């Protein structure tokens, strides 16, 4: 079964940058949509950014700071995060879906210190 795995989460100071990666365990499956979600302590999971073909969408609070990209051939997705703020602190999850399958990674913790 195909699995997703995130990496790149760590402690970073406010104003810093970080790049998260998400890789699928197999390249035999392609996805229509790939996305990054996050869940802060005590809050619901929220969509941060998603990529569907050439189209990208972002949560308003991260527009201009975060960039989502994917390498469809390798089934790898990235989230470049710049100008990080303490309110960006959360567990970040990658999500990938097609018409018959939806997968979640286990998450990677991003902590932004003030």
């Amino acid at each position: 079964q195909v699995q997703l795995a995130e990496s790149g989460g760590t402690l970073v100071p406010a104003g810093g940058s970080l790049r998260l990666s998400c890789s699928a365990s197999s390249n035999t499956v392609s996805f229509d949509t790939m996305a990054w979600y996050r869940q802060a302590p005590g809050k619901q999971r929220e969509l941060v950014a998603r990529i569907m073909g050439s189209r990208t969408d972002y949560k308003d609070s991260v527009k201009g700071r975060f960039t989502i990209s994917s390498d469809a051939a390798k089934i790898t997705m990235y989230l470049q995060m710049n100008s990080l703020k303490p309110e960006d602190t959360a567990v970040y999850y990658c999500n990938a879906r097609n018409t018959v399958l939806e997968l979640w990674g286990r998450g990677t913790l991003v902590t932004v210190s003030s």
Side-chain angles (χ1 to χ4, degrees):
Q1 183 173 352
V2 179
Q3 295 180 331
L4 300 178
E6 305 93 338
S7 61
T10 190
L11 174 65
V12 61
S17 297
L18 202 59
R19 189 176 83 156
L20 304 182
S21 299
C22 171
S23 295
S25 58
S26 170
N27 62 2
T28 60
V29 179
S30 61
F31 300 104
D32 302 319
T33 303
M34 299 187 77
W36 286 98
Y37 287 75
R38 70 185 181 188
Q39 187 167 17
K43 296 187 178 181
Q44 291 187 333
R45 190 173 298 188
E46 61 182 7
L47 176 65
V48 176
R50 64 183 173 190
I51 184 166
M52 299 171 289
S54 60
R55 173 181 170 177
T56 57
D57 296 307
Y58 296 92
K59 177 181 174 60
D60 285 346
S61 63
V62 307
K63 285 181 181 178
R65 300 189 298 122
F66 290 11
T67 303
I68 188 172
S69 61
S70 69
D71 179 346
K74 297 182 178 180
I75 317 297
T76 303
M77 178 176 61
Y78 305 97
L79 185 67
Q80 177 66 43
M81 305 185 293
N82 299 325
S83 302
L84 282 161
K85 304 176 181 180
E87 51 264 42
D88 295 318
T89 294
V91 177
Y92 284 72
Y93 298 90
C94 67
N95 171 276
R97 67 184 69 178
N98 56 29
T99 56
V100 296
L101 187 66
E102 180 175 16
L103 301 177
W104 289 91
R106 293 186 175 184
T108 186
L109 176 62
V110 173
T111 304
V112 184
S113 62
S114 56

